[in-house]
Amino acid sequence: MMPMETALQGRRILVVEDDFLIALSMCETLKGAGATVLGPVGRIKDAVRFVQDRAGDFDEAVLDLDLHGQRSYPVADALVEAGRGFVFTTGFDMVSISKEYAMHPCCSKPVSTSALIVALCALSGVCEPGLGNGELPPG
Amino acid sequence: MDAGQAPTPIAGVGASAGGIEALQGFFQGMPRNPGVAFVVVTHLSPERKSLLSDILRTYTEMPVHVASDGMRVEANNVYVLPADAVLSIQNHALLLRKRSSTRREPKPIDIFFSALALDLGERAIGVVLSGGDGDGTLGVKAIKARGGLTLAQVPDGHGPRHPDMPESAISTGLVDFAVPAAAMGERIVEFVHSTNMMDGLAADSQVMHQDEAMVGARREIYAILRNQIGHDFGGYKTNTFMRRVQRRMQVNQLDSLEGYLEQLRQDPQEVGALFRDLLINVTSFFRDEDAFTRLAEEVIPKLFEGRGAEDTVRVWVPGCATGEEVFSLGILMREQLDRVQAAPRVQLFATDIDEHALGVARAGRYPAAMLEGVSEERRRRFFVPDGASYVLSKEVRELCIFSPHSVIRDPPFSRMDLISCRNLLIYFGADVQNQVIPTFHYALRPDGYLFLGTSENISNFGDLFASIDKKQRIFRRRPEMNGAARLPLSISGIRPGYVGGDVRRPNLSGMALRQVAEAQVLERFAPAYVVVNHEGDVVFYSGRTGKYLEPAPGAPSRQILAMARKGLRLDLRTVLREAQEGGRSITRDGVAVEGDGGRVQIVSVTAEPLRDREDGGALYIVLFTDEGPTLSREEAAGRANFAQDGTALQLDRELRDTRERLQSLIEEYETALEELKSSNEELVSVNEELQSTNEELEASKEELQSVNEELHTVNTELNAKIEGLDRANNDLQNLFNSTEIATIFLDRDLKIRSFTPAVSAVFNILPSDRGRPITDLSQRFDLPSFNQDLNEVLTSGKSLERQINQEGEQVNYLLRMSPYVSSIDRPQGLVVTVVDVTNLTRSETRQRILIAELQHRTRNLLGVVQSIARQTLDGDERSDVFIQRLAALGRVQSLIGHATQQSINLEDIVRAELQALGSAGDGRMTLAGPVVPLNLEHVQITALVLHELATNALKYGALKQPEGKLRVDWTIRQSEEGSSLLLHWRESGVPITEQPKRRGYGRELIEQALAYSLNARTELNFGPDGVVCVIEIPLTASPMAVLEER
């Protein structure tokens, strides 16, 4: 079993989250898992521009489904176009994700640290089975 | 279009009643890019806005324009006459004239076509579609006269519903193609292509005339025409004839004469078309003005000389066509009539073989473009403007009598004072002219005048007519030079091979001596005789007939019975009759003739048919032979007595009485005959009157027809509108039925005008309640102020809404009363709508309960978290901080829960934070600022930041020191980027504190959280007197809007 502290060693992860406090906590969590964190970015417009301009600077992203009352699908589109995997986080029910985006992994808030790391590992393909604790999203 | 290229051909398209279908067919049958411009002229009433251009757009891909003044006409475009104007054209640009009168222009198509013909000549195209009168006929003539192309519609799937208009055009014989509307496009395009061929053909024509083969072909065309039409053009001028033939070849797209000949052999219709083309006669008012001036000066005054009110001046205009020449003469006559006193009656007989041309002439209505030769003064005096046309005044029109007549075939008119035959002879060859000119001589009175066209002449008939004005071709009839009247030749005159000639009597100069001797013997010794014809008119007298004949009283007469002396008449009549009936010699002896001075001569009277008559009527010689010397009356009586006894004497007396009675009877009979003759004259004039009345009736009928047509069009349009109205009505009805919104329409007296079916759920209403005041009805809701509200809306004109909650029945209604507004300002009534909002109200209630439940759970959850934290972090120093932060969150949730709107006042947040620290009440703190509502989105983070500031103040700053002071104030700053909230947190009375080295979570929150979430600017300073924090939060539009609403 890979230790938590190094699970995301060497990974560069972009955090897109509108709530400052949650963003702060999430950055801490990811740093704790050995990742390099970019962001946080809180607005759809800024996030889209970031993804378009600096896609080479990061490997995966954590994307809040709701950014200031709006769905963050434009950011998701930009990420897909840039070929970057990402994990949705949401305070809503998971069924509220639109069908076209339902194949992307999703973690519900409050986000469990291990669930987030497992989801990110799964994206990068370095995850070992047995690390997770069964909190992988159904979608 | 390049300047070097030939100008675009323009097609004028005339249509009237039933024209829409025809236009549909016309444009749908049009090939793409025909290279022609189309101008559509219709009969529209000026009051109605026409949708024609919109309709046409659905039939054609070409751009459709509503014509405007000065618009240039371009190929492959369609221009439509607007309803309230008259269209004309000049230099390829449309001229639009608004009409002042409300009546529609009677002949707009004629007006446009004639202008088109003037402007474009051979490139003008006239298309006559469905319509109910004769509009377009003159226009077609104008176009044809300038060499353009003409088409008229014949029936197929697209009408014409009203065939009068195209039929009238077709019957002029000037229409090149009578085809269905859909087939016209193709013909027009072919025409456009072949117009370029024209020049080449014209050059060929010179060669054509000289070519022997061509002469043969021409002869064959003559023969075909003669056989099929019965009209011989052999006498026509070759050049004129061949020009017309060429024109037909062009229309048929044939480029060789042989090909055309073949077409003539195959197609009898083409023969008819050629025949009509050959008859085109282009006239205009006062064509050759000098000639008319000369006529007015020299001839017309002479016609009136010596004529009183009882007399008639008679003028004949053969080949009058559409009447311009006749009316020109009529105007001259009318002008002359104004100059003389006791003016004689004037009659102008205008004749033509073309009935339709006569119809146009009878109407006496001409487009302004055709009145070029008429002076302004005459135009004012003799024409009545009617729209863009001019109608001839009644005083000229009533002088003219039109009738169909062929100058070649029919017997001529007679006793004419003037014959005006301009530009008709040019169409006739020498032999027909040789026939016609003697006809004119016959028709004229002695000293009558003949007026020919400037290119015509009397050829070799100088002995019949004397020239008055050589240049202007005015001639006077010479008296007959010899005894043989030149009676008009019979129809045999145009038989092929007939050589018209001068028929003259043989000269008597070679008379032999014997004949002279015999003549003298006859004269000296033969009895007196006369030669009479079948009617008894003397055609020859011998010498010394005075004893037997004397001039009869009254007008000179050659009637032998009238001239016979007393006693002779009865016997003369008897012998003449018997000689005529028996064809042999009859003699009556012993006839006593009473001469001058009472002497009586006994004569024997012989009548004998004249032998050796080859042609003409029979003639009779009447011989008078004296028996003995002249006697006195007594001697004669004695001689008679001598021979007879007493009985005879008595019989003789009886006989004499009878004779006298007979004589008086004969005289009576002759008087009666005279009377009959004059009655006949009267009848003739009555007949003429009738004729002119008939013409007037015809004109009225045409007018009626056009009115009828207009009505028809109006009706069609009305029907379409009614259909539209029905549809709209049905839509509305369906809308009412399907909405289930109870709607009642009330008039100003609150009486029910109409209502939707859903109303019955709210009011106790029946269909029969229409017209009853709504206040009479009982309602199923409880609104005591209902009547009052209705009246208020009616007076104020503003809508009112009332929500009604029926307590007992759990039903909620939303009642809306709005003014019923039409174009007038004042409300014409009311519209009351009642919507059942029961479900809506229930949902609202449920939502409120849900929100309260959510609040409750959130706060409970926070409470649980707090308690878990307290247990988990027991005794830890940080647990207090955590719990306080959690409490701040709880307060915010509580504020949010109590918020009635989507915003919370800033002051409430600040005050709640300070109160929670237990220090709001003392005087060390000041709060100042306007009411600023914050979005719920802003509230939480702002409250947390304020919490951190307050906690810091309590731990290290102003609230810790007894003399410390805290002032929180805020303002709204307006700048170019928008408004923002500017908040100052000032602590004072705090001893100098060091700037904390560690940037804790609290400080991070203060400095970064607002910037991150709200784009705010935060500045935290540890000043000498305490902490100063400046926060500027940009306000989005929504809080301001909320502010203003308050």
Side-chain angles (χ1 to χ4, degrees), chain A residues 17 20-21 40-43 68, chain B residues 937 944 1001 1005 1008-1009 1012-1013:
Chain A
E17 167 64 59
F20 178 71
L21 299 177
V41 183
R43 286 171 200 278
H68 292 286
Chain B
E937 189 195 356
L944 281 179
Y1001 181 71
L1005 204 75
Q1008 290 179 20
Y1012 185 80
S1013 305

Side-chain angles (χ1 to χ4, degrees), chain B residues 711-892:
Chain B
L711 280 175
H712 196 91
T713 326
V714 173
N715 193 26
T716 316
E717 225 164 276
L718 197 65
N719 274 341
K721 281 191 181 154
I722 288 173
E723 269 172 34
L725 207 60
D726 274 348
R727 262 200 307 280
N729 214 5
N730 279 340
D731 290 352
L732 270 181
Q733 196 62 46
N734 280 304
L735 181 69
F736 285 159
N737 292 346
S738 61
T739 51
E740 294 190 358
I741 296 174
T743 308
I744 308 178
F745 297 91
L746 303 176
D747 65 9
R748 285 195 66 80
D749 302 325
L750 301 184
K751 284 180 184 149
I752 297 168
R753 291 220 338 251
S754 61
F755 57 89
T756 63
V759 170
S760 52
V762 185
F763 290 90
N764 290 323
I765 202 166
L766 292 168
S768 59
D769 287 334
R770 286 205 175 92
R772 281 180 64 193
I774 192 163
T775 45
D776 288 5
L777 298 179
S778 63
Q779 308 127 20
R780 297 205 181 138
F781 53 83
D782 185 25
L783 181 64
S785 65
F786 185 50
N787 294 350
Q788 204 184 323
D789 289 345
L790 290 174
N791 282 316
E792 193 189 324
V793 174
L794 207 54
T795 43
S796 71
K798 285 182 184 140
S799 299
L800 255 183
E801 259 184 38
R802 290 270 185 268
Q803 173 123 24
I804 302 155
N805 300 320
Q806 282 309 84
E807 281 168 24
E809 294 177 44
Q810 300 277 312
V811 183
N812 304 80
Y813 290 120
L814 183 67
L815 188 76
R816 184 179 290 124
M817 291 158 275
S818 321
Y820 183 103
V821 186
S822 57
S823 55
I824 311 165
D825 298 339
R826 227 159 55 113
Q828 296 299 294
L830 292 175
V831 183
V832 179
T833 54
V834 185
V835 187
D836 187 341
V837 290
T838 312
N839 286 338
L840 206 61
T841 317
R842 275 185 201 149
S843 306
E844 276 172 11
T845 315
R846 209 162 61 219
Q847 200 185 359
R848 269 200 298 277
I849 293 166
L850 276 175
I851 289 172
E853 179 69 22
L854 195 63
Q855 295 280 340
H856 174 72
R857 285 195 190 177
T858 311
R859 266 178 284 165
N860 267 2
L861 190 64
L862 284 172
V864 171
V865 172
Q866 206 167 30
S867 132
I868 292 174
R870 191 165 283 137
Q871 297 301 321
T872 316
L873 308 169
D874 190 25
D876 193 327
E877 181 196 340
R878 286 174 301 173
S879 77
D880 280 347
V881 180
F882 176 70
I883 286 164
Q884 273 175 21
R885 283 176 178 154
L886 212 57
L889 268 182
R891 283 192 296 278
V892 174

Side-chain angles (χ1 to χ4, degrees), chain B residues 120-188:
Chain B
L120 277 105
E122 291 189 350
R123 286 173 185 273
I125 303 168
V127 178
V128 181
L129 300 177
S130 170
D133 67 357
D135 193 9
T137 304
L138 275 177
V140 161
K141 186 184 158 196
I143 288 178
K144 196 72 186 142
R146 304 251 170 184
L149 179 78
T150 53
L151 298 98
Q153 189 186 9
V154 295
D156 74 334
H158 292 290
R161 292 219 326 248
H162 297 265
D164 285 4
M165 208 162 86
E167 273 176 8
S168 172
I170 290 168
S171 62
T172 58
L174 302 180
V175 169
D176 293 320
F177 295 115
V179 290
M184 289 177 168
E186 210 175 309
R187 300 298 173 100
I188 289 173

